[in-house]
Amino acid sequence: MTGRRGLTAAAAGVLGARTGLAVAGRVPGARWQRTNFAGRPVSLLGGPVLAAAATGAAVLGAPTGHRAAAAVVGTVAGLVGSYDDLAGARPEQARDKGLAGHLAALRDGRVSAGAVKVVGIGAAASVAAVLTRRGSAADAVLTVGLVAGTANLVNLLDLRPGRAGKAAVLLAGATLGGPAGGLSAGALGATAGLLPADLGERVMLGDCGANALGALLGLRLADLPGRPGRAGLLAVVTALTLASEKVSFTRVIESTPGLRELDQLGRRST
């Protein structure tokens, strides 16, 4: 990562998130209000704020060959995630959760909001694979899988305040090096700017913020050197996604020393 470019992207992410939160705080409307796990009212507008700030900052920090791809995956993942946040809250969609829920809806002749999101993020990831001009079909498949899979995985972690944000900060921090490290710097800055509000239970990321953030980090992972390493990362992402259908991430985290303390760090007491 070019030092000045990365610092600029990170600073832009923080500024974008903080400015966006200030604007979002003046937006009325129960449509964006939700009740979180602790029964407290929170705003879903944290999602659009994070999606916009992280995407803009990632584009600013990305190398030339990745800017368009970052714009596509961040924007599309945020938009379809926002659709899922709003349409997925309808009573008729209450059962359409997880892979099994989306498949059941299709068998019943319905297209769930989550299925729309899956198709949209998959399409954006495919465009990103073309835009970044990976050299082979295998590399393109890895790009699509990492962008879409990481977008979904970060969303699966967004079940407690700050959990998805902390995971994103750790992943972004670990991938700041290399020519495409500016992608991570932009995502890191935006997440850091929003994290206090997320931990304070004033906002939540929702599908919009979590999917956009995950897609951008997935695009960064897809640029890591070494096809075997990228294939291994995709295998891990896939395994965790499949495990989430049967295993509660929250239960595992709360029963694991170290993970439990990290998860609770900075959160309000229930």
Side-chain angles (χ1 to χ4, degrees):
M1 175 183 70
T2 303
R4 182 175 297 176
R5 179 189 294 167
L7 290 173
T8 300
V14 173
L15 180 62
R18 302 306 297 173
T19 302
L21 285 173
V23 173
R26 301 189 181 98
V27 176
R31 187 182 191 191
W32 293 97
Q33 294 298 313
R34 293 293 184 272
T35 300
N36 71 0
F37 81 108
R40 298 187 179 105
V42 294
S43 173
L44 268 176
L45 287 172
V49 167
L50 178 60
T55 301
V59 170
L60 183 65
T64 302
H66 288 69
R67 289 173 186 166
V72 169
V73 300
T75 300
V76 173
L79 287 174
V80 295
S82 184
Y83 172 75
D84 194 19
D85 282 331
L86 298 177
R90 297 170 183 166
E92 67 270 19
Q93 303 245 2
R95 294 176 298 170
D96 302 338
K97 302 300 180 184
L99 180 60
H102 302 323
L103 292 176
L106 290 174
R107 286 196 298 269
D108 292 340
R110 296 181 296 107
V111 178
S112 67
V116 171
K117 183 180 68 172
V118 168
V119 172
I121 294 176
S126 300
V127 171
V130 174
L131 291 173
T132 52
R133 298 177 183 177
R134 279 294 183 183
S136 69
D139 289 319
V141 168
L142 289 174
T143 296
V144 173
L146 284 168
V147 171
T150 308
N152 183 60
L153 184 58
V154 172
N155 189 39
L156 290 174
L157 291 172
D158 188 35
L159 296 176
R160 292 293 184 272
R163 180 181 294 172
K166 290 172 187 174
V169 165
L170 292 173
L171 180 56
T175 54
L176 287 173
L183 281 167
S184 292
L188 177 62
T191 306
L194 192 89
L195 193 55
D198 187 10
L199 287 168
E201 299 182 40
R202 298 190 297 278
V203 301
M204 63 187 299
L205 305 191
D207 291 64
C208 177
N211 284 149
L213 181 60
L216 292 166
L217 292 174
L219 184 64
R220 172 66 188 101
L221 293 178
D223 195 70
L224 291 173
R227 187 182 298 166
R230 283 180 278 122
L233 286 171
L234 180 56
V236 171
V237 169
T238 302
L240 289 172
T241 301
L242 293 175
S244 72
E245 296 287 320
K246 300 292 184 181
V247 178
S248 166
F249 282 179
T250 294
R251 187 175 302 166
V252 171
I253 290 170
E254 290 179 349
S255 63
T256 304
L259 288 179
R260 179 176 58 246
E261 287 73 22
L262 177 60
D263 190 48
Q264 295 173 348
L265 182 65
R267 273 171 41 187
R268 294 173 61 179
S269 59
T270 55

